[in-house]
Amino acid sequence: MTHGLVIGKFYPPHAGHLALVRAALARCERVTVLVLGSSQESLPAELRARWLREELPGAHVVAGLDDEPVDYASETAWRAHTAIIENLLDAQVDALYSSDDYGEELARRLGARWVQVDPTRSGTPVSARAVRADPGAYWWALPTAVRAWFVRRVVVIGAESTGTTTLAEALTAQLGLPTVAEFGREWSQVRPGGFAAPWHPAEFDLIAREQARLEDDAAARTPVPLLVCDTDVLATAVWHERYVGRPSPSVEALAAARVPDLYLLTGDEIPFVQDGLRDGEHLRHAMQDRFREVLAAQDAPWVELRGTPDDRLAEALALVEPLGRRPRWLAEPMEQRHEVVPDLVAALSLPDSGA
């Protein structure tokens, strides 16, 4: 066949979607994938399309808006959806690939052959509705970028010698998570001129970007939807103020785009330890006050932890473990009326197909 078509919400993309598109790619000279998002969904259709392009470089992926009511018994609804699909296509299609039974009628309206793939989902037992309800249970079925999006991020932050690394390492070890170390400390050890040389704003842009990259890399590798980071870009912005003497618009902009789910501020009541890379105890309390001010002005919740390392770890686990069990929120998609319920969803005791 010359031109195959796959349509769906892909809310979010998962291994079942990829298998469907790959079945079309194996049989067609060309495949178009239409990501049809609605205004009430909270995950942009273009982002879903970008994820699919990364996983399926051989397919032509197009995102579109479809706010028409979904009613498989309505001729008006069928005509509206078909018109949207035809307007998004750049050429006639020969075959429509789908798992659900609606594909037969849609293929007829598009003048194409219907090819049904894995209708019972026995080949790839997953649905988007099931993923939205419990992404951790279907972690195996999610592309890397989708897993990274679902990860709940916790950042341990604080002034010098307040136990941030101790707590971050204890949490990652306890929870079995990959490490996200503090790149700024590594840079301080290798930077030209040594730690005592004057700092340049460009260094903090470098540190911020590399810290973000390390975080994103760990988010793609974590075995569960949770990540604990030893500092982040917001902390880099605070240290830019300290060493350059003014805020950094570029670092602050990057921090604003990467707000985590929780900040854990380590207390400054413990003894100061000089390791050769720290300013000194005379600045620690003032820097701690600045961290409190910055955290109070941003959007993520934060908690200051004090006491012994064991006390801090116990309190942190009580905050972090429930966060890891709570899926990242996604708005429900548009209601689908008069739909045949697929076998997988019935087995999962879910109310509809969750496509």
Side-chain angles (χ1 to χ4, degrees), residues 14-334:
H14 55 65
H17 295 137
L18 302 183
L20 178 61
V21 177
R22 285 170 179 148
L25 287 168
R27 302 178 189 179
C28 300
E29 295 177 12
R30 180 187 179 205
V31 173
T32 295
V33 179
L34 297 186
V35 181
L36 299 178
S38 73
S39 298
Q40 79 176 52
E41 295 163 355
S42 54
L43 190 60
E46 183 52 47
L47 178 59
R48 291 174 251 171
R50 188 178 77 197
W51 290 339
L52 288 170
R53 292 184 193 112
E54 292 173 0
E55 295 292 324
L56 303 161
H60 176 56
V61 183
V62 179
L65 179 65
D66 186 352
D67 278 333
E68 296 295 332
V70 182
D71 187 345
Y72 294 97
S74 167
E75 176 64 22
T76 300
W78 271 109
R79 288 180 178 178
H81 292 295
T82 303
I84 290 172
I85 292 168
E86 290 177 331
N87 286 335
L88 290 170
L89 291 171
D90 60 3
Q92 175 68 35
V93 296
D94 304 302
L96 172 73
Y97 287 75
S98 74
S99 297
D100 295 324
D101 292 338
Y102 73 80
E104 183 175 15
E105 176 61 19
L106 180 57
R108 184 187 69 80
R109 290 172 181 266
L110 294 173
R113 173 186 171 189
W114 178 44
V115 181
Q116 192 171 30
V117 179
D118 194 17
T120 63
R121 273 66 162 190
S122 57
T124 314
V126 61
S127 73
R129 178 173 289 275
V131 171
R132 292 194 298 271
D134 187 359
Y138 295 92
W139 210 236
W140 59 270
L142 300 183
T144 298
V146 181
R147 290 201 306 269
W149 186 89
F150 270 110
V151 167
R152 310 303 295 267
R153 293 185 296 121
V154 177
V155 176
V156 184
I157 199 171
E160 293 178 327
S161 191
T162 57
T164 55
T165 298
T166 298
L167 178 58
E169 289 179 349
L171 281 171
T172 55
Q174 181 78 19
L175 299 171
L177 307 177
T179 299
V180 184
E182 180 184 2
F183 178 71
R185 181 174 182 82
E186 178 183 338
W187 177 252
S188 297
Q189 295 173 317
V190 301
R191 64 187 294 264
F195 182 75
W199 286 78
H200 191 279
E203 293 183 82
F204 291 92
D205 285 308
L206 167 66
I207 292 170
R209 289 194 301 270
E210 181 62 12
Q211 192 69 47
R213 188 196 66 78
L214 292 172
E215 188 176 305
D216 291 342
D217 178 68
R221 293 183 291 105
T222 182
V224 294
L226 184 63
L227 194 65
V228 175
C229 308
D230 182 2
T231 199
D232 72 344
V233 178
L234 183 66
T236 304
V238 175
W239 291 113
H240 182 281
E241 288 183 7
R242 159 71 184 93
Y243 290 111
V244 179
R246 62 181 183 276
S248 168
S250 56
V251 175
E252 290 182 349
L254 183 58
R258 303 179 60 85
V259 179
D261 296 279
L262 175 66
Y263 277 109
L264 299 177
L265 176 66
T266 47
D268 59 348
E269 84 286 1
I270 61 177
F272 182 87
V273 177
Q274 178 56 264
D275 63 358
L277 291 176
R278 292 169 175 163
D279 285 330
E281 188 171 9
H282 64 291
L283 293 174
R284 183 172 63 151
H285 297 307
M287 287 300 299
Q288 186 77 354
D289 287 339
R290 181 55 184 151
F291 273 106
R292 294 187 185 106
E293 293 172 357
V294 169
L295 289 174
Q298 54 83 53
D299 294 332
W302 64 282
V303 177
E304 185 165 358
L305 304 179
R306 304 174 76 85
T308 67
D310 288 342
D311 291 339
R312 294 179 177 198
L313 177 59
E315 187 176 354
L317 286 171
L319 295 167
V320 173
E321 288 181 320
L323 181 65
R325 294 190 294 267
R326 190 166 66 246
R328 187 172 298 286
W329 179 81
L330 280 173
E332 284 299 306
M334 296 179 68

